[in-house]
Every structure is written in C-alpha cells, then in structure tokens.
C-alpha cells in the first residue's frame, strides 16, 4: 500500500517535532518546511533526521510562509495527502513588537498554502490549521470557551490567527477543500520555547535547584491558562484530519491555573519552599533555605503586554466525544516531565 505523504510547516517547532515523530510511527512519509537561519534551528528534529530508519521517509525543504513561490513549489513537488500548517510567529508578546511580520506569517501564510492547494487541485488533500484559544480573549461572563464562543482577539497574533481561522473555513465552504481548524489551548512540553512562561519557569527553577544565584523576572502572575501537554495535542491534530468531514475542534483540558499556581506546582515537584510577598508590581517570591530567605522572583513591567488575555479555559466535550480525546497527561504530570528534562539540561550545563 502507498504510504501517506504529510507536509508540516513549523516542523522545527515544539508541535512540529512531536507531530513528525507521531506520523513517522504511523508509517507516513513526512516532509517539513525549514527556514534558513544564521544559527541552527533544527535542534528539536535532529534526532529524527539522523535516524537511519527515517532515511527514505523524512525530508526537509527550505521555505518560508512569507514566500508564496516557495510554498507553491514545495506543495507541487510533494503532492501531499495531508498538510499541517503549524508554522507561525507564535509569541503573543513579540507580536506587539512585530505586528506586520506576524500578520504575514501567521495570517497570510495560511492563505498562501490554501491558494497553492486550490491552484494545484490536489485530489483529496486534507489541511489542518493551527488555530488557538487566543481567538477568544474576552470572557463575556462565561468561564469556559467552546467552538461556538465569541471571538475577541487581544493581540496582533490573535488577529492574524483569526484571519487564518476564517480563511480556512472560507476555503472549505467555497472550494470543498477538506480544511479543519484545531482551536488548541496552551500546550507545553520539555520542547517548549524558552521565552514562553512555563518553560521560562522550569528552566529557571531547575537551575536554581542546582545552586544558581539568579533572579527570575516575570510579568502578569495572575493570568490563567488551560495548560495541556503537546504530546497529547499533536495526536488530536492528526485525529482531526482522520474525520470523515472537515470540522473545527476545541482541544483543552478544562482546567485553568494562574502563572503563580504553576510556579507553586513546580516548586512542590522540586521540593523547594517558596513564600510570596507584596502585591502587583511589588510582588516577590522568596525561597526558604535553612530558615534563610533568598530572593527568587520579581515582577517586571517589561513582561506585561499592552493588552492581556487574563483567563482561558476550554470546553473540549466535542473533541472528547468525536476524537476520543483522552489526555494522558495531567498538569502535575506535565510539570514533572518538564522539570525532569530541565534538571537534566541544567546538570549538563554544569559539566
Ligand atoms: P513554535 O514552537 O513557536 O514553532 C513555530 C514554528 O513556526 C517553528 O518551526 C518556526 O521556525 C516556524 N516559523 C516561524 N516563522 C516562520 C516562517 N516565516 N515561515 C515558516 N515557518 C516559520 O510553536 P508551537 O508551540 O509548536 O505551535 C505550533 C502552532 O500552533 C503555531 O502555529 C502556534 O501559533 C499554534 N498554537 C500553539 C499553541 C501552544 O500552546 N503551543 C496553542 C495554540 C496554537 P523556526 O524554528 O525557524 O523559528
Ligand atoms: N512569555 C511570558 N513571559 N509570559 C508571561 C511572563 C513572562 O515573563 N510573565 C507572565 N506571563 C503571562 C503572559 O502575560 C500570559 O498571560 C501567560 O503568562 C502565558 O504566556 P505565554 O506562555 O507567552 O503564552 P500565551 O498564552 O501568551 O500564548 C501561547 O498560547 C497560545 C494559546 O492560548 C502561545 O503558544 C501561542 O502561540 C498560543 O496560540
């Protein structure tokens, strides 16, 4: 039987790397788009690339979501059965500094792929769009978001992703392309980028555990997020494309915790004693060590955003039912996974 061919944009990112592993396990031929960069950006997929078992089923192509010709040429060459559009300028904070670039990559980039699929008229191709809980943003007195909740993005990133969400739906309705949105809530892992808050915290606390004298500077500690594990969530991305008809799905755990609570959970796993003092910009955390108080965390205005999504919690009942979504990771397990991996990394840095 002919192997299925998948194309992943954003293959060098957190989700792209896990999704590539999953699809290879499922005997796909996997193609990924990588960007030219002046330093190595393939750290998350090097182990896949050098594995001799993957020699004839894993291929990388230079391209960029801002470059229509590269997108078109790669799709034309590969003729994929499934396209996973995970490529994005995915940092909400950075999108305020680079709004136009964010719109180009995370918004119009999606259109570039859909246009290539339309022109090339590839039979039965299926398209997955990495949509996001950042589409919501405003609670409107509701404490949970599902597929029918009102959108109200709060950042240039959220607006770019809103365009992608709708253009995916428009191409599905207008041209009959199998195109689906996964509206995924935050998901983390040991491969999470180090400027996202969970990984910034696990990297810092594990170094601290090994004796670092640094202080961590953070922004809004009250923000609440619905955090899942990327390994669970990439499986849902695949399942969304295995449905009989294209549809949009919310993927979330249904639980929401603050950044401060995430820190407390990490400290518990690391058996560190933390005490919090002060409020707002004066809030600080100290670590208690043999009755001595050492400054651990300070709030820093620089990490506040011009506009904030204060609260996110998803209602994934549709995914639970139709995709048989049953996450393997609780938040506690996610924290343990990240801490374990970052402790190893911190130890290796000391050598
Ligand atoms: P990530 O780790 O930031 O990865 C983003 C990927 O996009 C990287 O491979 C990056 O390449 C690539 N990329 C950036 N600019 C590009 C461009 N101009 N052309 C082509 N590729 C480009 O993100 P992630 O956490 O894996 O998330 C995957 C997708 O899901 C993203 O679209 C994100 O917006 C969305 N999403 C994420 C979450 C979450 O909580 N993780 C939740 C909802 C939705 P480099 O490695 O070269 O930078
Ligand atoms: N990054 C960061 N750094 N965030 C901080 C910090 C800090 O020092 N201090 C507090 N925060 C707060 C942010 O203000 C936000 O409310 C929350 O922590 C989470 O921030 P991030 O981890 O950067 O994630 P995000 O929720 O903004 O965006 C992520 O999730 C989206 C899905 O909801 C990204 O992965 C997006 O690509 C994704 O769409």
């Amino acid at each position: 039987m002919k192997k299925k061919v998948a194309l992943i944009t954003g293959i060098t990112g957190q989700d792209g790397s896990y999704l590539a592993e999953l699809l290879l396990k499922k005997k796909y031929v996997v193609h990924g788009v990588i960007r030219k960069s002046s330093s190595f950006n393939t750290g998350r997929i090097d182990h896949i690339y050098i594995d001799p078992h993957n020699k004839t089923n894993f291929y990388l192509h230079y391209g960029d979501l801002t470059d229509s010709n590269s997108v078109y040429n790669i799709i034309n060459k590969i003729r994929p059965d499934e396209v996973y559009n995970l490529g994005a300028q995915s940092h909400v904070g950075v999108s305020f500094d680079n709004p136009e670039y964010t719109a180009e990559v995370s918004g119009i980039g999606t259109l570039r792929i859909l246009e290539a699929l339309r022109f090339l008229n590839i039979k039965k191709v299926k398209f997955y769009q990495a949509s996001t809980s950042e589409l919501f943003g405003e609670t409107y007195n509701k404490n949970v978001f599902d597929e029918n909740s009102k959108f109200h993005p709060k950042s240039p990133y959220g607006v770019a992703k809103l365009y992608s969400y709708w253009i995916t739906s428009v191409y599905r309705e207008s041209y009959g392309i199998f195109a689906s949105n996964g509206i995924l809530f935050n998901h983390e892992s040991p491969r999470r980028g180090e400027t996202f808050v969970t990984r910034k915290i696990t990297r810092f606390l594990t170094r601290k555990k090994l004796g670092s004298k640094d202080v961590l500077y953070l922004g809004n500690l009250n923000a609440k997020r619905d955090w899942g594990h990327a390994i669970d969530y990439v499986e849902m991305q695949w399942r969304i494309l295995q449905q009989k008809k294209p549809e949009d799905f919310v993927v979330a755990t249904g639980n929401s915790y603050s950044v401060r609570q995430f820190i407390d959970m990490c400290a518990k796993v690391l058996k560190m004693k933390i005490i919090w003092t002060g409020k707002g910009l004066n809030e600080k955390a100290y670590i208690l060590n043999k009755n001595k108080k050492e400054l651990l965390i300070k709030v820093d205005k620089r990490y506040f955003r011009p506009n904030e999504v204060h609260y996110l919690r998803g209602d994934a009942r549709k995914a639970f039912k139709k995709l048989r979504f049953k996450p393997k990771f609780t938040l506690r397990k996610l924290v343990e996974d990240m801490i374990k991996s970052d402790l190893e990394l911190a130890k290796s840095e000391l050598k």
Side-chain angles (χ1 to χ4, degrees), residues 12-15 35 41 64-65 86 88 90 101 157 161 187:
T12 55
Q14 170 188 257
D15 288 11
R35 302 195 286 170
N41 59 355
D64 198 298
L65 284 165
L86 310 185
S90 74
Y101 178 70
Y157 167 80
K161 284 285 186 175
H187 45 281

Side-chain angles (χ1 to χ4, degrees), residues 48-104:
I48 306 176
Y49 194 74
I50 60 169
D51 183 341
H53 293 107
N54 297 329
K55 206 168 174 197
T56 55
N57 48 24
F58 188 69
Y59 302 92
L60 298 173
H61 309 261
Y62 280 113
D64 198 298
L65 284 165
T66 61
D67 181 343
S68 304
N69 287 329
S70 72
V71 170
Y72 182 93
N73 288 334
I74 292 169
I75 293 175
N76 190 23
K77 192 163 142 196
I78 294 168
R79 301 267 157 175
D81 299 298
E82 294 174 10
V83 177
Y84 295 86
N85 183 30
L86 310 185
Q89 190 303 91
S90 74
H91 200 285
V92 174
V94 171
S95 80
F96 287 97
D97 297 321
N98 297 333
E100 188 179 334
Y101 178 70
T102 303
E104 275 293 341

Side-chain angles (χ1 to χ4, degrees), residues 8 44 116 119 143 153 190 222 238 303 338:
I8 304 175
R44 295 185 179 101
F119 278 122
N143 68 358
N222 296 316
W238 174 75
Y303 294 107
M338 293 178 76

Side-chain angles (χ1 to χ4, degrees), residues 18-276:
Y18 285 121
L19 181 65
E21 285 171 1
L22 179 80
L23 296 181
L24 286 166
K25 238 186 249 159
K26 292 187 182 295
K27 305 286 174 218
Y28 279 63
V29 175
V30 174
H31 294 262
V33 179
I34 59 166
R35 302 195 286 170
K36 166 73 185 83
S37 116
S38 66
S39 51
F40 290 116
N41 59 355
T42 54
R44 295 185 179 101
I45 52 169
D46 284 341
H47 64 288
I48 306 176
Y49 194 74
I50 60 169
D51 183 341
H53 293 107
N54 297 329
K55 206 168 174 197
T56 55
N57 48 24
F58 188 69
Y59 302 92
L60 298 173
H61 309 261
Y62 280 113
D64 198 298
L65 284 165
T66 61
D67 181 343
S68 304
N69 287 329
S70 72
V71 170
Y72 182 93
N73 288 334
I74 292 169
I75 293 175
N76 190 23
K77 192 163 142 196
I78 294 168
R79 301 267 157 175
D81 299 298
E82 294 174 10
V83 177
Y84 295 86
N85 183 30
L86 310 185
Q89 190 303 91
S90 74
H91 200 285
V92 174
V94 171
S95 80
F96 287 97
D97 297 321
N98 297 333
E100 188 179 334
Y101 178 70
T102 303
E104 275 293 341
V105 182
S106 312
I108 305 296
T110 308
L111 176 69
R112 294 187 176 102
I113 299 177
L114 287 165
E115 274 292 85
L117 296 179
R118 182 168 77 89
F119 278 122
L120 290 165
N121 199 16
I122 302 172
K123 248 188 162 179
K124 292 190 179 157
V125 66
K126 291 180 170 183
F127 174 77
Y128 173 86
Q129 172 55 23
S131 284
T132 162
S133 44
E134 281 288 309
L135 299 181
F136 302 121
E138 189 62 61
T139 50
Y140 295 108
N141 297 325
K142 283 195 166 176
N143 68 358
V144 65
F145 300 99
D146 65 14
E147 292 80 3
N148 300 312
S149 298
K150 189 172 168 182
F151 294 140
H152 185 147
K154 297 270 178 148
S155 64
Y157 167 80
V159 175
K161 284 285 186 175
L162 186 62
Y163 175 84
S164 285
Y165 170 90
W166 281 120
I167 203 69
T168 298
S169 153
V170 163
Y171 272 58
R172 172 168 76 213
E173 288 173 8
S174 312
Y175 306 116
I177 295 177
F178 189 114
S180 299
N181 284 290
I183 308 172
L184 271 50
F185 282 61
N186 296 50
H187 45 281
E188 323 292 309
S189 74
R191 294 186 195 169
R192 185 56 144 158
E194 294 189 24
T195 59
F196 296 95
V197 78
T198 56
R199 188 81 198 288
K200 191 169 161 182
I201 292 164
T202 58
R203 278 292 270 150
F204 170 80
L205 288 179
T206 48
R207 283 172 167 147
K208 196 80 191 172
K209 183 77 185 171
L210 300 187
S212 154
K213 294 279 167 245
D214 291 346
V215 172
L216 180 65
Y217 295 89
L218 290 172
N220 181 10
L221 301 174
N222 296 316
K224 287 192 159 180
R225 290 292 182 270
D226 179 332
W227 280 297
H229 198 301
I231 290 182
D232 282 329
Y233 286 32
V234 297
E235 164 115 27
M236 292 311 113
Q237 297 171 3
W238 174 75
R239 288 194 185 194
I240 286 172
L241 291 199
Q242 309 316 307
Q243 298 300 295
K244 284 213 172 72
K245 61 182 181 77
E247 269 186 88
D248 303 331
F249 288 90
V250 157
V251 179
T253 70
N255 301 310
S256 188
Y257 294 91
S258 69
V259 172
R260 192 185 297 97
Q261 285 173 307
F262 185 87
I263 295 168
D264 285 337
M265 210 176 276
C266 292
K268 208 167 175 188
V269 170
L270 280 163
K271 298 193 170 52
M272 286 167 135
K273 263 203 174 148
I274 290 189
I275 49 169
W276 294 94

Side-chain angles (χ1 to χ4, degrees), residues 326-339:
K326 202 165 174 251
K328 291 185 201 78
F329 288 87
T330 58
L331 181 57
R332 170 77 188 204
K333 270 190 166 176
L334 165 68
V335 167
E336 284 170 359
D337 195 24
M338 293 178 76
I339 293 283

